[in-house]
Amino acid sequence: MACVLSVRVINYSEIVKASSNQSKFDKKNRGPNSATSTRGRGTPRTAHRTQKLNLEVSPHRAVSAVRLMRIELGGAFADLLNEKGKGSGDNEMGYVERTLGFRTRVLDDRDLRLVTDIVGGTIRWRRYLDHLILSLCHDENTFTRMEPLLLQILRIGFYEIVKLGMPPYAVVDENVRLAKVSLRPGAGNMVNGILRKLLFLKENNSLPLPKLEGDDRAQARALATLYSHPVWMVRRWTKYLGVEEAIKLMIWNNTDPSFSLRANSGKGFTRADLVTRLQMLKVPHEISPNLDDFVRIKTGMQSVLQAGLLKEGLCSVQDESAGLVVSIVDPQPGESIIDCCAAPGGKTLFMAARLSGRGAISAIDINKGRLRILKEAAKLQNVDNVVTTVDADLRTFADQNQDKSNKVLLDAPCSGLGVLSKRPDLRWNRRWEDMEQLKALQDDLLDAASMLVKPGGVLVYSTCSIDPGENEERVAAFLLRHPEFCVDPVDSYVPADFVTEHGFYSSNPVKHSIDGAFAARLVRSS
């Protein structure tokens, strides 16, 4: 995941913008019971701040609606699960109170899971849901001018009815109540009318869905609606993969993600120890067929978090696709390694554990805050003796640094198109234009990283993308610019099923049931 989160460099102007977005969110989306609220187009009125408790409103729906608005403003992620465990529910209820002006009952573990499921699912299916909502509105203006909170409540109701199959009349009743309490009675009446239309159409198997007909563009638009992806992604995937494989990939992206846990050997904690703890917690799990330290889980992450396994540094959440990239680097005790875009450090920490206390890793990143997280994690996992963090732009660092290393890993900033099942919001935050900008950045960083490799040393280029433009094409362009490098096939480092015909590593979400990723192992001539 490091490569996704490093796509943009956060600077002062963006911090100001983010603060401004949060301010706009607080001002525009407060409910009628909040400290400052507006009536229609009138001037704001100020009310005495009280902690109102509403036991009639469904807590997971109130939290989901507010969180969805925050995500669209760029102030939150889709996943509620974090190292705070139950504490995350208190944080979310605080946002509900500041936005809607009231609190509901405390979220229990079931509520937290529902919020994660509903928020993630609603984001994944947003284009599909909006098509249905628009189809059931009186006219397009009704949809386009809809208040943000009202739209999120409708999206939640549509998702619960169409995709989750929840009891329909409970869905209608509770979402209507949320709209009435947090907005006004008329909003509740609108939600009631639209949701009941949806129920009628669903029961009669007559949902207004687009048909796959017309030219390629028309079919791409229909597929984009049916499987809820941006049109440009659909067109790109059908070009590279064909329609059938593109549909399989979109289906994968729309399913609930599974996770992998890596036992932290730096703490003397083995996979067998991890399996024992998971059995004690009654968390269903599978042994990874690809990596010795990894275990797969589909459910039960909340239990893992609340048990403190991550907080104690005993294990880390890391996808096998990232672990296999480390296998390609093949860190050996005594080696010097540079991790070029390291933060937040998943691959850095796994490589450090493989050094067994002997060797050195320089973890370079331009983001100080994320480097601080890496440094703290290295200490927690008992590998801080081999990890040094370096706050720098790789391109400047490479120009100024005279020392060369045995191995250099460039986990490049990328589109993240291989991790869309775990990052459902990412598909809506990417544009076709971003791809061209990213490719130029990837070329610059590859050139810089190559300057840090000793003669006879290894450069590993990796992404969490499945796009050839970011992967094979970037390597081909690099080799034309740098004939002193050649491809070292990865078949000695990963299972044969992951090796492409050109000797690269590629994980396919549909085929391998892990995130999509790519890596090339390049050797510099002596």
Side-chain angles (χ1 to χ4, degrees), residues 25-57:
F25 171 80
D26 289 337
K27 289 178 180 178
K28 287 187 176 181
N29 298 293
R30 289 187 178 107
N33 299 314
S34 61
T36 302
S37 63
T38 60
R39 303 185 202 181
R41 298 180 182 177
T43 56
R45 63 176 175 82
T46 302
H48 179 66
R49 179 82 177 184
T50 57
Q51 284 195 348
K52 294 184 178 180
L53 181 65
N54 191 312
L55 298 179
E56 295 182 352
V57 171

Side-chain angles (χ1 to χ4, degrees), residues 1 79 81 116 124 252 256-262 284-286 294-302 316-320 421-423 513-515:
M1 297 292 287
D79 195 352
L81 299 177
T116 299
R124 288 185 185 95
W252 168 268
D256 291 333
S258 57
F259 296 91
S260 294
L261 300 175
R262 174 177 63 82
H285 57 276
E286 297 178 6
F294 285 68
V295 174
R296 296 177 178 182
I297 65 171
K298 186 73 176 177
T299 60
M301 182 63 77
Q302 190 75 42
S316 303
V317 178
Q318 187 169 36
D319 196 78
E320 289 175 50
S421 68
K422 289 188 175 70
R423 286 288 309 276
S513 298
I514 60 177
D515 286 346

Side-chain angles (χ1 to χ4, degrees), residues 299-514:
T299 60
M301 182 63 77
Q302 190 75 42
S303 299
V304 172
L305 295 168
Q306 291 175 9
L309 296 182
L310 274 69
K311 190 175 291 186
E312 296 170 22
L314 299 177
C315 69
S316 303
V317 178
Q318 187 169 36
D319 196 78
E320 289 175 50
S321 62
L324 288 166
V325 171
V326 172
S327 295
I328 292 166
V329 177
D330 190 32
Q332 297 295 320
E335 290 182 331
S336 65
I337 300 172
I338 296 178
D339 191 351
C340 293
C341 296
K347 296 181 180 70
T348 306
L349 298 172
F350 189 19
M351 289 191 294
R354 296 274 289 266
L355 293 181
S356 302
R358 291 178 288 132
I361 299 178
S362 297
I364 303 171
D365 204 276
I366 201 169
N367 189 310
K368 287 184 179 180
R370 286 154 58 82
L371 273 179
R372 193 180 307 117
I373 294 171
L374 193 163
K375 193 171 185 177
E376 293 170 355
K379 186 175 182 180
L380 180 66
Q381 296 181 23
N382 285 354
V383 293
D384 53 318
N385 59 323
V386 296
V387 175
T388 302
T389 57
V390 181
D391 173 25
D393 184 309
L394 173 63
R395 292 161 290 191
T396 304
F397 179 86
D399 285 334
Q400 299 174 350
N401 188 65
Q402 300 299 317
D403 297 329
K404 312 298 180 185
S405 290
N406 303 111
K407 290 171 180 174
V408 175
L409 169 62
L410 173 60
D411 185 26
C414 71
S415 64
L417 295 183
V419 298
L420 295 185
S421 68
K422 289 188 175 70
R423 286 288 309 276
D425 52 320
L426 199 59
R427 72 184 71 177
W428 308 120
N429 296 331
R430 289 286 178 265
R431 302 173 303 162
W432 178 85
E433 294 84 354
D434 297 335
M435 303 296 288
E436 299 306 311
Q437 296 174 5
L438 281 168
K439 287 191 287 188
L441 176 60
Q442 289 154 1
D443 287 343
D444 288 347
L445 295 177
L446 258 173
D447 290 341
S450 69
M451 299 167 61
L452 302 173
V453 182
K454 286 182 177 180
V458 173
L459 169 62
V460 174
Y461 171 74
S462 70
T463 73
C464 55
S465 175
I466 56 173
D467 193 277
E470 298 183 272
N471 298 334
E472 292 89 347
E473 292 177 17
R474 299 281 55 75
V475 174
F478 171 79
L479 293 175
L480 287 175
R481 297 193 305 274
H482 296 272
E484 70 274 21
F485 282 87
C486 65
V487 175
D488 182 17
V490 301
D491 52 321
S492 299
Y493 306 98
V494 296
D497 198 37
F498 293 94
V499 182
T500 72
E501 60 178 333
H502 298 296
F504 303 137
Y505 157 72
S506 178
S507 59
N508 181 300
V510 176
K511 180 180 179 182
H512 300 118
S513 298
I514 60 177

